């Protein structure tokens, strides 16, 4: 909807309610979609880092641009936002050079790369403000991983979109499950991509208990995975899971970006929504739980049997975890456990043509 780069726009939607709600946004057209859970103002902050992806290795023959990008919206008038892009922007702001804009309540700005330069990536860009803001990490349309078309000949791409959490709620421990592309639980042969973005210098990251990489501030690393992962870090990190580009032309779904909730931010009561659009033929929820809560978690008042959970091979933050991916029907769902000290995280997703 925002059709400019580095310009202040009024294209913001404000949603208010008389009682607590869950609010979702979605960009959807034929053959491409991604959605996000919208955060209430009370969950937004003033300091962010961007997660996106590199410009596609494929340039559209018609010259249309499909850049790495992000957007920022203000809640309050006269909000000063300072942006330090990690790579040059489409309008000529150089990498590493801060620039500032002033947004009134209900105004926004979109920042994009020069999409004609392949693999430029705004991940790691710094966004700060003197009042709470909403920040969205995005990509207009790309393959995952970047450059996959050279391996497969496929130019199948998709939009990426998530609202990003402020750095104050980043975590150190994460449990990830690979995306299942059908109701039988099949996983793409190449797996999916995990990206870990660090807040501070010298952040050591382990995967399934084994040393993986050490990141500096605003640095990130990627890897493909097909099996459940336990990611742990010595300092705060943001973790993204990117669904892999379809490689055979027949399975449903294409790239999307999901911010993985840290186990440090686990809870024991959730209401979430699965789309009622019949386009989405595969709809699932990943539950990553403290192993002590197995046998106590309910979905829509039905107790989940212990056998649906797979124990993870290593601990995270001193706790043992288990994971399951469940098929869900369209509509609202409720997940809960009575064991208040043994919480879990969820990540819901849908796939379709």
């Amino acid at each position: 909807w925002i059709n400019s780069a580095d310009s202040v726009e009024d294209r913001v939607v404000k949603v208010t309610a008389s009682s607590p709600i869950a609010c979702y946004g979605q960009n959807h057209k034929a053959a491409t979609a991604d959605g996000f859970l919208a955060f209430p103002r009370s969950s937004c902050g003033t300091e962010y880092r961007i997660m996106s992806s590199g410009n596609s290795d494929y340039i559209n023959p018609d010259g249309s641009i499909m850049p790495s990008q992000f957007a920022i919206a203000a809640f309050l008038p006269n909000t000063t936002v300072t942006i330090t892009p990690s790579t040059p922007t489409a309008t000529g702001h150089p990498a590493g050079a801060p620039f500032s804009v002033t947004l009134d309540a209900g105004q926004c700005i979109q920042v994009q790369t020069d999409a004609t330069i392949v693999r430029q990536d705004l991940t790691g860009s710094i966004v700060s403000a003197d009042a709470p803001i909403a920040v969205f990490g995005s990509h207009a349309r790309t393959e995952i991983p970047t450059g996959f078309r050279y391996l497969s000949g496929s130019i199948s791409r998709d939009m990426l979109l998530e609202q990003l959490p402020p750095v104050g709620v980043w975590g150190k421990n994460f449990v990830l499950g690979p995306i299942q592309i059908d109701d039988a639980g099949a996983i793409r042969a190449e797996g999916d991509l995990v990206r870990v973005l660090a807040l501070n210098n010298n952040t050591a990251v382990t995967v399934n208990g084994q040393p993986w990489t050490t990141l500096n501030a605003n640095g990130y690393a990627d890897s493909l995975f097909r099996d459940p992962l336990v990611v742990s870090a010595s300092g705060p990190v943001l973790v993204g899971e990117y669904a892999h580009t379809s490689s055979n032309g027949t399975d449903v779904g294409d790239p999307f970006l999901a911010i993985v909730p840290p186990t440090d931010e686990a809870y024991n009561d959730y209401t979430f929504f699965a789309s009622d659009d019949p386009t989405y033929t595969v709809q699932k929820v990943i539950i990553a739980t403290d192993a002590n809560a197995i046998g106590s978690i309910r979905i829509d008042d039905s107790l989940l049997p212990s056998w649906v959970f797979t124990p993870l091979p290593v601990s995270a933050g001193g706790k043992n975890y288990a994971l399951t991916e469940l098929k869900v029907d369209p509509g609202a769902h409720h997940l809960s456990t009575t064991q208040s000290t043994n919480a879990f995280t969820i990540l819901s997703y849908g796939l379709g043509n």
Side-chain angles (χ1 to χ4, degrees):
W1 193 35
I2 309 172
N3 55 18
S4 66
D6 295 355
S7 297
V8 175
E9 296 261 15
D10 295 325
R11 299 190 173 209
V12 172
V13 174
K14 180 180 181 180
V15 178
T16 60
S18 58
S19 296
I21 60 170
C23 182
Y24 297 82
Q26 186 183 50
N27 188 309
H28 177 181
K29 65 178 184 178
T32 181
D34 201 0
F36 62 91
L37 174 66
F39 300 154
R41 174 175 159 179
S42 59
S43 296
C44 293
T46 59
E47 186 79 15
Y48 292 84
R49 301 294 184 270
I50 298 302
M51 185 166 284
S52 178
S53 186
N55 290 340
S56 175
D57 275 19
Y58 179 76
I59 304 299
N60 292 320
D62 63 0
S64 58
I65 61 171
M66 297 293 174
S68 178
Q69 61 188 20
F70 61 89
I72 305 158
F75 292 98
L76 300 176
N78 298 315
T79 297
T80 299
V81 179
T82 301
I83 299 164
T84 306
S86 61
T87 194
T89 72
T91 60
H93 291 287
F99 66 96
S100 295
V101 296
T102 299
L103 302 178
D104 279 329
Q107 288 188 321
C108 62
I109 184 172
Q110 178 173 257
V111 178
Q112 297 179 320
T113 58
D114 180 346
T116 64
I117 304 174
V118 299
R119 305 206 179 196
Q120 279 199 329
D121 190 342
L122 283 164
T123 296
S125 297
I126 302 170
V127 176
S128 60
D130 60 2
I133 52 175
V135 178
F136 302 85
S138 179
H139 197 294
R141 188 171 179 232
T142 191
E143 71 274 8
I144 295 294
T146 304
F148 179 69
R149 80 181 195 93
Y150 289 119
L151 301 176
S152 67
S154 168
I155 58 169
S156 182
R157 296 166 291 158
D158 218 338
M159 190 206 186
L160 309 178
L161 178 62
E162 276 280 62
Q163 184 165 358
L164 301 177
V167 299
V169 294
W170 287 18
K172 296 181 179 180
N173 300 288
F174 302 79
V175 174
L176 289 78
I179 301 303
Q180 297 180 355
I181 60 175
D182 60 25
D183 287 340
I187 297 165
R188 288 203 172 95
E190 304 86 0
D192 298 301
L193 186 139
V194 58
R195 171 167 289 188
V196 179
L197 172 64
L199 182 63
N200 302 318
N201 286 333
N202 300 313
T203 299
V205 183
T206 64
V207 173
N208 287 346
Q210 299 300 311
W212 181 44
T213 189
T214 299
L215 300 171
N216 284 328
N218 311 318
Y220 61 91
D222 298 341
S223 182
L224 295 173
F225 71 101
R226 295 193 75 252
D227 298 305
L229 292 184
V230 176
V231 175
S232 296
S234 60
V237 294
L238 185 66
V239 174
E241 181 169 349
Y242 298 71
H244 198 287
T245 290
S246 174
S247 54
N248 62 22
T250 59
D251 57 4
V252 297
D254 244 344
F256 64 77
L257 168 61
I259 298 299
V260 181
T263 60
D264 319 66
E265 293 283 336
Y267 298 94
N268 59 15
D269 193 286
Y270 296 89
T271 297
F272 71 99
F273 173 80
S275 176
D276 55 7
D277 186 330
T279 297
Y280 301 103
T281 55
V282 177
Q283 300 205 75
K284 298 203 172 186
V285 61
I286 300 173
I287 305 171
T289 182
D290 183 324
N292 290 326
I294 293 175
S296 71
I297 298 175
R298 292 181 175 273
I299 183 167
D300 302 332
D301 295 325
S302 296
L303 190 67
L304 292 175
S306 300
W307 59 262
V308 304
F309 290 92
T310 300
L312 278 294
V314 297
S315 63
K319 293 184 177 181
N320 295 316
Y321 285 88
L323 182 142
T324 189
E325 296 196 37
L326 301 176
K327 176 184 176 182
V328 292
D329 294 326
H333 299 278
H334 182 222
L335 277 165
S336 65
T337 173
T338 56
Q339 298 189 17
S340 59
T341 59
N342 300 322
F344 56 96
T345 63
I346 69 169
L347 193 158
S348 62
Y349 64 90
L351 301 173
N353 288 322

